[in-house]
Amino acid sequence: MVAMTATAEEEAMDTLTALSGSPTQPMGAYPGPTKLLIDGKWVDAASGKTFETRNPATGELLARVAEGDAEDIKRAVAAARRAFNGPWSRMKPNERQLLLLKLADIIDKNMEELALLDTLDMGGPLSRTRNNRQRALGMLRYYAGMATSVHGETINNSLPGDIFSYTLKEPVGVVGAIIPWNGPLTASIWKIGPALATGCTVVLKPAEEAPLTSLRLGELCLEAGVPPGVVNVVPGYGETAGAALSSHPDVDKVAFTGSHLTGQKIIQASAGNLKRVSLELGGKSPDIVFADADLDAAVSGASMAVFANSGQICSAGTRLFVERKVYDEFTEKVAAYGRNLKVGDGRDPEVQVGPLVSAEQLERVTGYLAVGQKEGAKALSGGARLTEGNMGKGYFVPPTVFANVRDDMRIAQEEIFGPVISAIPFTDVDEVIQRGNATTFGLGSGVWTRDVSKAHRLARAIRAGSVWVNCYQAMDPAVPFGGYKMSGYGRESGLQHVEEYLNVKAVWIKTA
Ligand code: NAI
Ligand code: MG
């Protein structure tokens, strides 16, 4: 699928659509890239090993993908280093800008295919993956703008005599990017975009559960003219490929998104060469609904803050605090909202909630459903895996709302990463601030109120990287996103994101 005309692109899309089957038809052989992308070439793993990736809606095999491990990471890092030392990092900013703009146009043309790939590989419904268009293109075009905006400063110093000082901003070097499976297209772009803008090179390790979109994105990077070795894509397992990348002595920075437990290992692995690390980890975000809010807007907002992507979103508002006087009415409405969402195979464009990504994730989420019931919470909706018809072949959990949740229950403390809301009553502002903050995490948070003073007060008091007032999960390439506490450090999006990929050098010039 390289260098295609418009018609060839349409044909490729038709082929993928035909091969991808439908909710009732089996899938054929996957036509896209399944090898490792190293130094601009598609290669087998050094070990010759491959692993399976499956459609979580049906359990069907999508493709066998080359399984990279330490040896392949070594080759990819060497390629990335050569590319970094070559003409790439000296390319003019406007050339990198044009490259990013071109990549955005190519992704625009191929968006339908990329959306379908995400849907097939990780289960997110087309109704969602198609809507990633604006986010994907917006990010690339934002970073394109940043490519020509990087600059140092002239700084007045107080030393005697004439000595001039200024700073240079330089690309940090070879970046190891490790991403999870919950949004392969946008997660890949979120790591590759700032690298291309600043002149870094990348080894991207997609999640073993969903590697196909990242590989296809690698192919599109080549089509856009990204030089060999600048973007390398090495699928493989976390314990092997991921660990090798995060401990590699010639990697300058690791940009990681995933669980806090793996984040801790990444920090340990980084110690060998003190590489820079940025971490976007999980959460147990409070979403706080006051009785004075526009409750209808809050019902859909609070529901989709968790049910979107089957709850597989790091900043999902899973601790739903509801003011006691509207608690029963509100939680019942959220449960009803959840019951009305269409759950199923994401290839059906009407479906709003797809399957969980894997059997492992299904086990984890249904485990929490059992824990919640055992702890004394009451499932107002959902509460058990769906198995009717073909659903038994996939990993479907319906939108679930637990009422009677206490702060000390595991379902109120631990990240479930499924479509599960823990609804907790509260009575006053000070109390909900204290309880909302009583978590080891601090990624997202929501506040629903018509009282502007209350909104401002909570916006300051909540210890989290994002506070959404009368909305949830708003994201923009220019607005920083990231964690407090165990949700990680570093920011993605915004000026600070670009800084994460830059070194600052001070230059002194004695002129007299
Ligand atoms: P994970 O954090 O283990 O995996 C994320 C990425 O890290 C994958 O590419 C994986 O291959 C890689 N990885 C795993 N172990 C590694 C290691 N030792 N060194 C380097 N890289 C490594 O998350 P996983 O296993 O997919 O999911 C487990 C739980 O983590 C989920 O149920 C969820 O609660 C949470 N999670 C949170 C995410 C978020 O965005 N906050 C994303 C994915 C998972
Ligand atoms: Mg893992």
Side-chain angles (χ1 to χ4, degrees), residues 178-182 205-209 237-238 242-243 246 256-259 262 265-266 281-282 314 361 364 415 417:
I178 303 176
I179 59 168
W181 36 263
N182 52 349
K205 209 239 22 108
E208 51 270 41
E209 293 85 352
Y237 290 98
S246 53
F256 174 73
T257 304
S259 66
T262 301
K265 290 185 192 161
I266 302 268
L281 309 177
C314 47
Q361 198 62 19
R364 184 185 161 94
E415 183 177 54
F417 232 57

Side-chain angles (χ1 to χ4, degrees), residues 239-252:
E239 298 71 22
T240 51
L245 186 56
S246 53
S247 61
H248 195 294
D250 205 27
V251 170
D252 297 293

